[in-house]
């Protein structure tokens, strides 16, 4: 039999808060972490809203200086720094900072990033214009997308699998799924996994605006700009941050008598084989990913009672995901609670699937379903479905089983099946 894998630690730094407690409380309360961009560097960009990690909070709490020296910070991009902060919280939460050889060798890391640090790339190009010696020796390490995993492994001495994923907006979910499989198949007993992202910049916003992916209709009302499943949605809002989970083999966790948030039951992947940026028109890739996650979990689809949707607030993507849910679950679909937390924190790209997987695990643990905020008029594809709008829902089932969907450009899809223990 394959080994069972549970969640024993959660760490977050997000537009909703600088730790998991604040982020969870904020998403349940329906607060928005999206603000207006006032920097003149963005003056030519049509989109003027984004979901930033609060610099005021970071500076006030002195979080960065508490955990890292100046020399350590020089080696890290902003995204890596977020990943390291989230990992520290997750490891503290799991009470897992071993120093014996066996434990270090059986603990691995799988953390990904969707995009490199474009700000650092642009700044370094300008520095090169002034002279070769102006280029930092840390330039390359800071733009490599596997360096969050590398830095975590080095800081804590973890010598198990050191793996990284970069699959656009499915990165975080794929990272968790790969970590799950590594434990399940005996390659590690503990995995530190998730994603990190800090790619908000004039260049990235310009690029996404050019493909008409970002919201521009709510520049003067940023908290209303991300509105999954709403008829008036007009694009996603870029966010930044990180969330990290500690996954652990069940008996390993039980022996430590540590709190368990939930269990990863299964993992499904698929490819749309359709388009560079648009999902398959009939949602075939999404259906396959969900179907495979359910099959991998050895459950029937009627046991699923919550779906944390990928829904980014784009016209096409949200509609196709709802179509896929109806197609797969048929008559059971109205009995499934559905929500997208991106209305509150925007779209964290490579750190989206993992942040939302953390919220899904906490939903399983507490029996509370985070709402989809700004959902005032449900789109046509949502008719007949139980989309949790604006206020949190209560999950009454004795055993709570959920799916977490994540889809990325290039037609890459991931689905995690998460349950209460």
């Amino acid at each position: 039999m394959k080994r069972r894998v549970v969640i024993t630690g959660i760490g977050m730094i997000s537009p909703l808060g600088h730790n998991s407690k604040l982020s969870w409380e904020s998403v349940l309360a329906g607060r928005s972490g999206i603000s207006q961009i006032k920097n003149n560097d963005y003056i030519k960009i049509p989109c003027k809203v984004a979901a930033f990690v609060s610099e005021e909070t970071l500076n006030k709490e002195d979080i960065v200086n508490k955990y890292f020296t100046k020399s350590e910070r020089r080696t890290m991009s902003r995204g890596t720094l977020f990943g390291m902060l989230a990992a520290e919280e997750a490891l503290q939460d799991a009470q897992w900072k071993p120093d014996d050889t066996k434990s270090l060798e059986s603990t691995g890391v799988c953390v990904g990033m969707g995009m490199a640090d474009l700000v650092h790339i642009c700044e370094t190009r300008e520095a090169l214009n002034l002279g070769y010696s102006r280029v930092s020796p840390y330039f390359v390490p800071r733009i490599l997308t596997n360096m969050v995993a590398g830095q975590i492994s080095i800081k804590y001495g973890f010598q198990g699998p050191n793996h990284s994923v970069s699959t656009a907006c499915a990165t975080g979910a794929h990272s968790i799924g790969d970590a799950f499989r590594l434990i399940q198949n005996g390659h590690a007993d503990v995995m530190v996994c998730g994603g990190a992202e800090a790619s908000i910049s004039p260049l990235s916003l310009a690029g996404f605006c050019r493909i008409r992916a970002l919201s521009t209709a709510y520049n003067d009302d940023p908290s209303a700009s991300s509105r999954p499943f709403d008829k008036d949605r007009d694009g996603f809002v870029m966010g930044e941050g990180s969330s990290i989970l500690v996954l652990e083999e069940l008996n390993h966790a039980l022996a430590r008598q540590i709190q368990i948030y939930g269990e990863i039951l299964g993992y499904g992947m698929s490819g749309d084989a359709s388009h560079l940026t648009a999902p398959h028109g009939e949602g075939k890739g999404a259906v396959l990913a969900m179907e495979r996650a359910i099959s991998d979990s050895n459950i029937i689809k009627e046991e699923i009672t919550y779906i944390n949707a990928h829904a980014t607030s784009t016209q096409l993507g949200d509609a196709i995901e709802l179509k896929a849910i109806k197609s797969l679950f048929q008559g059971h679909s109205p009995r499934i609670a559905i929500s997208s937390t991106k209305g509150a924190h925007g779209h964290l790209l490579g750190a989206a699937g993992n942040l939302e997987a953390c919220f899904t695990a906490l939903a399983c643990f507490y029996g509370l379903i985070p709402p989809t905020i700004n959902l005032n008029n449900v789109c046509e594809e949502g008719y007949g479905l139980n989309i949790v709008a604006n206020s949190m829902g209560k999950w009454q089932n004795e055993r709570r089983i959920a799916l977490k969907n994540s889809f990325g450009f290039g037609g890459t899809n991931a689905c995690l099946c998460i349950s209460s223990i």
Side-chain angles (χ1 to χ4, degrees):
M1 290 181 63
K2 291 180 179 178
R3 306 199 307 169
R4 293 174 65 184
V5 181
V6 296
I7 302 163
T8 57
I10 293 176
M12 300 185 205
I13 180 162
S14 79
L16 297 173
H18 64 279
N19 59 39
S20 58
K21 183 176 184 293
L22 287 174
S23 296
W24 175 240
E25 288 174 351
S26 294
V27 81
L28 285 182
R31 300 188 193 110
S32 173
I34 299 169
S35 58
Q36 192 173 52
I37 301 172
K38 297 182 179 178
N39 189 318
N40 286 335
D41 291 341
Y42 294 82
I43 200 162
K44 295 180 181 179
I45 313 299
C47 175
K48 296 291 193 298
V49 293
F52 295 97
V53 170
S54 170
E55 292 295 330
E56 182 182 351
T57 303
L58 287 175
N59 294 332
K60 183 179 178 181
E61 301 284 342
D62 202 26
I63 297 168
V64 176
N65 292 326
K66 182 178 178 181
Y67 294 114
F68 308 109
T69 65
K70 286 184 179 180
S71 60
E72 285 177 324
R73 293 201 304 274
R74 279 198 298 270
T75 70
M76 300 179 195
S77 67
R78 182 176 172 87
T80 298
L81 186 65
F82 289 158
M84 295 291 285
L85 290 171
E88 174 65 25
E89 183 190 2
L91 289 164
Q92 285 188 20
D93 189 32
Q95 299 176 38
W96 186 249
K97 289 189 179 179
D99 56 11
D100 63 288
T101 300
K102 182 180 178 183
S103 296
L104 292 171
E105 289 180 350
S106 65
T107 302
V109 184
C110 182
V111 180
M113 186 179 287
M115 293 174 64
D117 187 339
L118 296 182
V119 171
H120 188 52
I121 291 171
C122 291
E123 289 175 349
T124 303
R125 182 67 183 88
E126 291 175 4
L128 181 60
N129 289 335
L130 300 175
Y132 161 77
S133 62
R134 299 291 187 96
V135 176
S136 167
Y138 299 115
F139 169 65
V140 171
R142 287 182 66 178
I143 64 168
L144 293 176
T145 56
N146 74 311
M147 272 302 161
V148 192
Q151 291 272 19
I152 293 170
S153 173
I154 292 165
K155 184 174 180 66
Y156 300 102
F158 299 145
Q159 296 166 47
N162 183 339
H163 178 46
S164 183
V165 179
S166 186
T167 49
C169 304
T171 295
H174 275 137
S175 297
I176 296 167
D178 287 358
F180 159 69
R181 290 267 170 85
L182 287 166
I183 296 174
Q184 194 180 51
N185 293 314
H187 299 290
D189 291 328
V190 180
M191 288 294 297
V192 181
C193 60
E197 198 76 83
S199 53
I200 302 172
S201 72
L203 181 57
S204 61
L205 261 68
F208 280 115
C209 277
R210 288 290 290 157
I211 57 173
R212 300 180 181 178
L214 296 183
S215 173
T216 58
Y218 300 89
N219 286 338
D220 296 324
D221 188 10
S223 64
S225 56
S226 182
R227 40 197 324 111
F229 305 129
D230 190 80
K231 283 182 179 177
D232 296 323
R233 67 193 186 279
D234 75 316
F236 74 81
V237 176
M238 281 188 70
E240 63 176 8
S242 176
S243 62
I244 299 293
L245 297 85
V246 176
L247 302 188
E248 196 165 341
E249 191 273 326
L250 175 61
N251 291 323
H252 190 278
L254 292 174
R256 296 199 304 121
Q257 298 183 316
I258 193 68
Q259 175 178 269
I260 294 173
Y261 290 103
E263 181 174 2
I264 309 289
L265 295 182
Y267 172 39
M269 297 180 285
S270 72
D272 280 357
S274 178
H275 191 271
L276 282 176
T277 58
H280 187 280
E282 297 302 313
K284 186 176 180 181
V287 169
L288 284 172
M290 289 188 285
E291 207 168 41
R292 289 166 181 171
I294 292 168
S295 175
D296 192 46
S297 303
N298 290 314
I299 61 172
I300 59 172
K301 62 187 179 183
E302 286 76 16
E303 292 180 78
I304 302 296
T305 46
Y306 172 51
I307 296 175
N308 185 292
H310 177 69
T312 63
S313 188
T314 62
Q315 281 287 340
L316 192 61
D318 292 15
I320 289 175
E321 185 171 9
L322 292 177
K323 186 187 292 186
I325 290 169
K326 286 182 175 179
S327 172
L328 175 61
F329 290 98
Q330 299 290 320
H332 179 61
S333 56
R335 291 187 284 275
I336 301 172
I338 301 166
S339 72
S340 170
T341 58
K342 288 186 177 78
H345 52 69
H347 185 15
L348 273 64
L349 306 182
N354 49 302
L355 177 65
E356 294 152 25
C358 286
F359 289 146
T360 305
L362 291 170
C364 289
F365 185 71
Y366 290 110
L368 300 173
I369 295 176
T372 310
I373 68 169
N374 299 320
L375 181 50
N376 302 325
N377 297 290
V378 178
C379 62
E380 182 180 344
E381 294 78 8
Y383 292 168
L385 294 176
N386 178 21
I387 302 176
V388 180
N390 300 314
S391 299
M392 70 177 180
K394 291 189 177 180
W395 201 346
Q396 304 294 349
N397 301 63
E398 185 175 340
R399 189 187 184 197
R400 298 181 282 272
I401 306 179
L403 294 182
K404 168 61 217 151
N405 287 336
S406 283
F407 313 131
F409 280 2
T412 180
N413 307 303
C415 182
L416 297 165
C417 186
I418 302 172
S419 79
S420 55
I421 192 71

